[in-house]
Amino acid sequence: LTALISGVSIFINKFAVASFANPIMLPTIKNSLVGLLLLATLVASGRWQKSCTQLKSLTKKQIFQLIGVAIIGGALPFYLFFTGLAQIPAVNASIIHKSLVLWVAILAIPLLKEKVSKTMALAVLVLFAGNLIVGGFNGLTLSKGEIMVFLATLLWATETILAKKVLKSLNADIVATARMGLGSLILIVVTAITSSNDIIKIISLNSSQWFWISLTAVTLFAYVSTWYRALKLAPAITVSAVLVSSTLITNILSAIFITHAWNL
């Protein structure tokens, strides 16, 4: 489910980020909405009381871990990713982002004692190779935008390992809410410092911009909700490997609607 959502989401976000003069405005606003949505879902679902019990018993180590997840998962990489996405094709961003499995594996093998099977390695290679057949991908150029997306991917790989450790003792709702809630606050502060005029412009956003914000907020909410549940239930390398399949979805959408190079 996370892979399906991600494949569509990155394609949509490419159009969404083009609606803003400052690309960081999109993640700043939508991440804030997602943080509120996750909090509202906790309350409405009846899981609030259980979550409050866990929050009250948080150790200093867990608090610092959640802050770490927020900074390296919910703030810095979004700044890098969306600034880069504004400059490169959606499918390129998707393929770079899904190299996540390689960086997660490098970290998870020594830190989480996970293993990579030959079948999994072959499956990942086949999925990546599939993008050469679909007509939406024209290759990487190592541009500034691609490098920014790559740096964001490295941060998300680090966050994946940290989140996996936190999820052993905390439920997925708390980790996801901390990531998006605290992360969005950091983005707001950064945006206010670097682009104070853009913060003021939020009140004058047009209907088209709010449409893109709402649509991408829903997809991000769904992505975070399913991703953290998957990460809690299965090895980090496994879920990162399955996520690679989303590149084909973004690629197919790009081939049909952008490059028009779709072929049987």
Side-chain angles (χ1 to χ4, degrees), residues 9-250:
S9 178
I10 291 181
F11 182 76
I12 293 173
N13 273 287
K14 175 61 182 177
F15 290 98
V17 77
S19 300
F20 295 83
N22 184 353
I24 197 58
M25 284 299 292
L26 176 63
T28 298
I29 301 171
K30 75 166 183 173
N31 286 21
S32 301
L33 291 177
V34 171
L36 292 173
L37 274 172
L38 287 165
L39 192 60
T41 303
L42 264 179
V43 176
S45 65
R47 296 194 297 269
W48 177 248
Q49 189 172 359
K50 181 182 178 181
S51 297
C52 281
T53 302
Q54 284 197 342
L55 286 171
K56 289 177 182 177
S57 60
L58 285 178
T59 64
K60 286 185 179 180
K61 180 181 178 180
Q62 289 173 323
I63 292 172
F64 281 117
Q65 286 176 328
L66 289 176
I67 292 173
V69 166
I71 294 172
I72 64 175
L76 293 179
F78 278 96
Y79 185 93
L80 290 165
F81 184 86
F82 279 88
T83 304
L85 180 62
Q87 304 171 35
I88 64 175
V91 64
N92 290 41
S94 180
I95 288 173
I96 295 169
H97 177 247
K98 298 317 176 291
S99 70
L100 184 77
V101 62
L102 173 61
W103 317 117
V104 167
I106 290 172
L107 294 171
I109 291 172
L111 298 177
L112 300 178
K113 307 305 179 185
E114 293 185 4
K115 296 180 180 180
V116 179
S117 67
K118 292 180 180 179
T119 304
M120 186 188 298
L122 178 61
V124 168
L125 288 174
V126 170
L127 285 171
F128 274 122
N131 287 289
L132 301 176
I133 298 172
V134 182
F137 177 56
N138 295 318
L140 300 174
T141 61
L142 297 180
S143 64
K144 179 181 177 182
E146 290 179 350
I147 291 171
M148 294 185 83
V149 171
F150 174 65
L151 292 174
T153 302
L154 293 181
L155 286 171
W156 274 320
T158 306
E159 180 228 354
T160 299
I161 304 303
L162 180 57
K164 184 66 180 174
K165 288 180 174 291
V166 181
L167 286 166
K168 289 181 179 179
S169 56
L170 297 176
N171 66 52
D173 297 310
I174 289 178
V175 181
T177 304
R179 184 218 207 202
M180 302 312 302
L182 294 176
S184 64
L185 287 176
I186 295 169
L187 282 174
I188 290 171
V189 171
V190 171
T191 306
I193 294 172
T194 59
S195 310
S196 55
N197 291 332
D198 288 324
I199 289 291
I200 299 171
K201 290 178 183 178
I202 291 177
I203 59 175
S204 60
L205 293 177
N206 59 46
S207 57
S208 174
Q209 289 172 316
W210 278 114
F211 166 77
W212 287 117
I213 288 169
S214 302
L215 183 61
T216 54
V218 169
T219 56
L220 180 58
F221 170 77
Y223 175 91
V224 174
S225 299
T226 51
W227 171 250
Y228 276 106
R229 279 168 173 73
L231 195 57
K232 186 174 181 67
L233 295 170
I237 297 175
T238 302
V239 292
S240 300
V242 175
L243 196 61
V244 176
S245 60
S246 71
T247 60
L248 295 175
I249 298 170
T250 308

